[in-house]
Amino acid sequence: MSHHIVTKTTLVPDEDCEKSGVNFSWAQANELAVYAFNKKKHVNDGINKTGKEGKIYFYQQESLLDDPEIRKLINESNTTFIASRNMPLTIQKRVRILELSREHRSSIKFSIESMQRRMSVLKTDKYKDWIKVFNNIDQIWHLCEVLHLEIAPTDTVLPKLLEWTRMDRFELDELDEIITSSHTKGADLRHTKYWDVVMGLLLIGRFDSTRALLKLHSEADTLAFYEADLLLRSIPVYAVSSGLSASEFNARWKGWKSSVRSKINAGVFVSCPRLLKLIKLIGVDPMDVKGSFDLFKPYCSTWYQMMVSVLLFTDPIVKIHDLNYHANQCIDYFGGRSKLKLCDQTILALLDSNLNLAVKYLQYTADGGWCSVHLTNLLDLAGCLKNTRGETIDFKQMLLDYGEMLMSHQSYWQVGLTYLEHCKTDGWDLMKIMLMKLPLTSEEKALKIIAKAKEYNFTDVVSDTCKVMTNYKLRNGNISGALSWALMSNDSTFINYIADKYLRRYAMDRDVTELGCSQVLMNLGQSVLISSRLTFLAKYCEFHSLYDQNRNKEAANLLIKLIESKVAPKYFWITLLLDALPLLLEEPSYFSHDDTTIILACLEELTTDTADNLVRNTPKFSEHTTVIKKAITKNLATTLIAESSNPTNEKIIKCY
């Protein structure tokens, strides 16, 4: 059968790309950066060195992670993974691992059913390939579970293999129910698939169901069917709980086989050729390999189905270390190893107990590494990988790759962290890198990233994220918002820079710019001391708050302290003097003679400093200084007269 691959062509909407072709670089794990190619100049890392600024286009391959039907599988498996890594030491470890394995398989089955419902509703085959992939994963996982994760008292594996292969032939149960629903004889005449179901149930060890169907045959009362029922009812089935040793069971088995062959040779079943085929199957000679395969092949669609069925009637107490031999015989009969697909090779590796090779094959599965990571995790916890053959699997690297893939997707970055955190140094370094690369699409996402970074004590990630958001606010003219994000960075130098930028903007255009910082600085407590500029800004906001509440005397006292301390940057002094102006003009003044002298000294230093061009470039600097000087002169005269006329030489204080 030929396979046709449907490809999708994506056009890059760029004139330069159309003329000269395209070049590309990996932007991240699943994203390509595409840009125009230039033959004359070198292009490196997506940067056009021709001097002409070109556009870069980013493209991502459609991923399994993008599908909403997979989202629940990813999240559920992550919950199970976290539970596996936090198992209490007090419980039975292998029992808990088996429970977790079944949780994973339950998630797989739910996803398959969800996809099937979706296809039915939408009348599409969109999920057809994914359903096949996950069916194969479930089949492989189940085999690994029954052979290597379950705790078995002996290494007899046929009961487990029968359990596994029955899951692969679930349609037999549906047909069996349809045929037996009438409870009347003549089922072989009413149902065309009667014998197919009888043979199918027989080959997966469902002997009671096989007998029930044979009793509905139109000739069920004949001697041949009576003898067949007797043989099926007496077939020895090995069980550890039976108390029989392997040698005792073998003796019974050989006796039963001898009885089957003797009845075949006596011609008991010649009256019904279909029944004779059935009896020949159960009486097959273990030494006649080719004859056995010829009998079983019409009823088995795969080599592993035939292997299990043949073992059921030739070697029911087969040991796990013999499975590879029997598997290879069946594979040769089905066309040899060249015919094996990836799923077949993985199953063969599990039957051969070569878990490292099985995991290697699982890594090639088109599920983004989901199965290989989670199954290997359980095998690792169970200690199954320690003594297996083949090249050692680097489980840490698998976690790194899977975690990085998840973190490169906007919907799963938090999930990806839980895998990377188990990789010690390498994982934590990668976590930092990936957190810094996450696009900050909203303030909510930025806050989530910061919360996670704090959880892992990634102070540099917190700082960088805050700086990116601060710059974003600055570009949008929101200096108050920028200051809020700068404060979260806890970087004194950066906070100084933003507070300074805030003050410069306010100083240059105080008529248009609102202060609006009191809400940001409220309740910071000792945190304002992280930066000298921030400390000043907090006190300056406090001054405005007092002034707005008409607590003018308190506001005047605080303003004088700010002017006298000279903690404000020099370019901001004129702003402080302008703030003092209305308080100077009040009758009587809120400033004493000494206060006014401090204001005058500040003004004189400001006007005589010819080196500070920034101060002189302040809008209306000359006009403002002239007005302030007049107000100071008037206030000095007023306060001097008032204070000198006071008998006790006490300063006049207007109380409120």
Side-chain angles (χ1 to χ4, degrees):
M1 181 184 296
S2 61
H3 296 274
H4 299 283
I5 300 175
V6 179
T7 59
K8 179 182 177 182
T9 302
T10 301
L11 299 177
V12 180
D14 189 278
E15 186 177 345
D16 291 336
C17 292
E18 187 177 345
K19 290 179 180 178
S20 59
V22 296
N23 204 347
F24 66 88
S25 300
W26 286 107
Q28 52 185 357
N30 64 338
E31 186 176 59
L32 280 179
V34 180
Y35 45 90
F37 177 77
N38 192 294
K39 296 179 181 178
K40 296 180 180 180
K41 300 284 184 179
H42 293 290
V43 177
N44 184 35
D45 295 333
I47 302 173
N48 191 329
K49 300 293 181 66
T50 62
K52 179 182 177 182
E53 185 177 346
K55 292 183 178 180
I56 300 177
Y57 302 87
F58 295 94
Y59 293 95
Q60 287 185 336
Q61 181 184 10
E62 186 177 356
S63 167
L64 176 68
L65 301 177
D66 294 320
D67 197 289
E69 296 299 325
I70 303 302
R71 189 176 304 277
K72 190 166 186 180
L73 175 66
I74 298 292
N75 291 328
E76 283 185 351
S77 61
N78 177 244
T79 302
T80 307
F81 173 81
I82 293 172
S84 73
R85 286 287 161 177
N86 296 316
M87 280 193 300
L89 298 176
T90 54
I91 66 169
Q92 292 181 297
K93 189 174 181 180
R94 289 298 290 269
V95 173
R96 180 58 179 152
I97 288 173
L98 187 59
E99 290 175 353
L100 295 170
S101 175
R102 287 169 178 165
E103 283 183 22
H104 278 306
R105 289 188 53 228
S106 176
S107 297
I108 295 171
K109 292 181 184 298
F110 180 85
S111 293
I112 293 172
E113 292 170 0
S114 181
M115 290 180 187
Q116 289 172 334
R117 285 195 301 269
R118 185 89 171 172
M119 286 202 304
S120 176
V121 171
L122 299 178
K123 301 188 183 306
T124 177
D125 60 353
K126 174 183 177 181
Y127 297 105
K128 182 179 178 182
D129 292 336
W130 289 124
I131 289 173
K132 184 177 180 181
V133 168
F134 281 106
N135 272 323
N136 287 341
I137 287 174
D138 182 49
Q139 185 179 37
I140 291 167
W141 196 307
H142 188 199
L143 179 62
C144 185
E145 185 180 279
V146 298
L147 287 182
H148 303 290
L149 292 178
E150 285 187 13
I151 305 171
T154 68
D155 61 351
T156 303
V157 294
L158 186 61
K160 294 181 179 182
L161 291 175
L162 285 170
E163 176 190 341
W164 171 63
T165 197
R166 285 167 187 164
M167 297 295 294
D168 193 34
R169 307 184 74 173
F170 60 89
E171 75 282 353
L172 288 173
D173 289 325
E174 297 176 2
L175 293 171
D176 180 30
E177 186 176 350
I178 292 172
I179 294 172
T180 56
S181 60
S182 62
H183 302 289
T184 56
K185 292 181 180 179
D188 57 310
L189 303 176
R190 295 190 300 271
H191 301 280
T192 56
K193 292 189 175 183
Y194 171 82
W195 279 107
D196 292 332
V197 177
V198 170
M199 293 297 193
L201 292 172
L202 176 74
L203 295 185
I204 59 174
R206 298 274 293 277
F207 302 131
D208 289 340
S209 297
T210 304
R211 290 174 57 215
L213 282 179
L214 289 177
K215 289 177 180 179
L216 296 179
H217 193 275
S218 56
E219 299 177 14
D221 295 332
T222 62
L223 177 63
F225 278 83
Y226 173 79
E227 291 292 344
D229 182 72
L230 188 62
L231 289 174
L232 289 172
R233 186 172 56 190
S234 60
I235 185 170
V237 177
Y238 182 74
V240 177
S241 58
S242 66
L244 288 176
S245 65
S247 56
E248 290 173 322
F249 175 81
N250 266 328
R252 290 191 182 186
W253 175 257
K254 289 178 180 178
W256 177 80
K257 276 281 189 179
S258 178
S259 176
V260 173
R261 291 195 200 93
S262 64
K263 290 185 178 182
I264 292 173
N265 295 332
V268 173
F269 308 104
V270 293
S271 61
C272 184
R274 291 290 191 95
L275 185 62
L276 179 59
K277 281 186 179 181
L278 183 148
I279 301 302
K280 283 184 176 181
L281 283 175
I282 65 175
V284 66
D285 185 359
M287 305 305 295
D288 182 11
V289 176
K290 187 179 185 309
S292 301
F293 289 168
D294 289 340
L295 284 171
F296 283 85
K297 178 67 184 294
Y299 309 106
C300 301
S301 58
T302 63
W303 62 267
Y304 45 84
Q305 281 184 357
M306 188 167 76
M307 180 196 74
V308 176
S309 297
V310 169
L311 288 174
L312 177 62
F313 297 108
T314 59
D315 191 3
I317 55 173
V318 62
K319 307 299 182 183
I320 191 168
H321 55 264
D322 293 324
L323 290 179
N324 186 53
Y325 168 76
H326 295 290
N328 279 302
Q329 281 192 315
C330 292
I331 288 170
D332 290 341
Y333 190 80
F334 269 75
R337 283 179 174 256
S338 62
K339 302 288 185 181
L340 295 183
K341 297 178 181 178
L342 181 61
C343 182
D344 297 299
Q345 292 174 326
T346 312
I347 290 172
L348 180 60
L350 290 173
L351 293 172
D352 192 26
S353 297
N354 192 340
L355 298 182
N356 284 331
L357 182 59
V359 170
K360 182 179 178 180
Y361 287 141
L362 284 174
Q363 289 179 288
Y364 301 143
T365 304
D367 65 343
W370 180 88
C371 176
S372 60
V373 165
H374 293 97
L375 183 54
T376 305
N377 173 53
L378 297 181
L379 291 170
D380 178 58
L381 291 172
C384 298
L385 298 176
K386 292 179 181 177
N387 300 317
T388 186
R389 305 189 313 279
E391 181 182 352
T392 304
I393 293 298
D394 189 347
F395 180 51
K396 184 183 79 171
Q397 188 59 49
M398 291 171 63
L399 285 176
L400 288 172
D401 293 341
Y402 185 67
E404 182 179 7
M405 180 197 69
L406 291 177
M407 286 201 69
S408 66
H409 194 281
Q410 61 178 356
S411 300
Y412 300 102
W413 65 270
Q414 294 179 84
V415 177
L417 286 171
T418 61
Y419 295 92
L420 295 180
E421 70 177 14
H422 293 288
C423 300
K424 307 297 182 184
T425 305
D426 293 341
W428 284 57
D429 288 343
L430 184 56
M431 286 164 69
K432 288 184 183 180
I433 294 170
M434 296 303 294
L435 281 172
M436 289 181 180
K437 289 174 66 176
L438 289 173
L440 302 178
T441 52
S442 67
E443 291 195 32
E444 182 183 5
K445 185 173 181 180
L447 290 170
K448 286 181 179 179
I449 292 172
I450 289 171
K452 281 294 179 184
K454 286 182 177 179
E455 184 179 327
Y456 296 108
N457 199 28
F458 294 159
T459 54
D460 46 351
V461 176
V462 174
S463 179
D464 284 2
T465 303
C466 291
K467 287 176 182 178
V468 171
M469 292 304 296
T470 300
N471 289 324
Y472 170 76
K473 292 292 184 181
L474 287 176
R475 287 196 301 272
N476 287 278
N478 186 353
I479 296 185
S480 179
L483 183 59
S484 299
W485 282 101
L487 287 168
M488 292 177 64
S489 73
N490 210 34
D491 184 329
S492 59
T493 304
F494 189 60
I495 293 171
N496 250 352
Y497 167 74
I498 299 301
D500 191 68
K501 200 172 187 68
Y502 190 99
L503 291 171
R504 286 178 187 274
R505 178 176 173 181
Y506 184 75
M508 292 298 291
D509 200 2
R510 60 178 283 156
D511 294 333
V512 177
T513 307
E514 293 183 7
L515 191 59
C517 61
S518 57
Q519 293 299 319
V520 175
L521 300 172
M522 191 177 294
N523 301 321
L524 280 180
Q526 295 297 315
S527 299
V528 297
L529 301 177
I530 193 173
S531 153
S532 58
R533 284 286 189 272
L534 184 64
T535 304
F536 167 73
L537 183 56
K539 287 296 181 182
Y540 185 64
C541 285
E542 184 183 342
F543 158 73
H544 271 277
S545 178
L546 292 171
Y547 188 77
D548 291 341
Q549 297 172 40
N550 292 322
R551 296 162 65 182
N552 294 351
K553 184 56 185 176
E554 294 175 66
N557 290 337
L558 179 55
L559 185 59
I560 283 297
K561 290 178 181 178
L562 292 176
I563 294 172
E564 185 179 22
S565 66
K566 296 185 179 180
V567 294
K570 201 161 192 178
Y571 65 79
F572 204 75
W573 287 10
I574 187 66
T575 304
L576 295 178
L577 294 175
L578 288 171
D579 287 324
L581 186 58
L583 297 171
L584 283 168
L585 297 175
E586 284 282 342
E587 293 287 349
S589 174
Y590 290 101
F591 295 115
S592 67
H593 185 273
D594 290 344
D595 294 339
T596 312
T597 304
I598 292 170
I599 296 172
L600 178 61
C602 177
L603 179 63
E604 288 179 348
E605 183 177 343
L606 195 61
T607 53
T608 56
D609 188 353
T610 57
D612 198 335
N613 292 324
L614 179 61
V615 173
R616 296 189 172 279
N617 289 332
T618 304
K620 301 180 180 179
F621 178 76
S622 297
E623 295 177 30
H624 288 157
T625 54
T626 301
V627 173
I628 295 169
K629 189 173 293 186
K630 288 181 180 179
I632 291 173
T633 303
K634 180 183 177 183
N635 198 64
L636 280 173
T638 304
T639 55
L640 181 61
I641 294 170
E643 292 178 17
S644 63
S645 63
N646 192 321
T648 59
N649 200 28
E650 291 181 350
K651 298 176 183 178
I652 299 174
I653 301 176
K654 187 176 181 180
C655 300
Y656 284 82

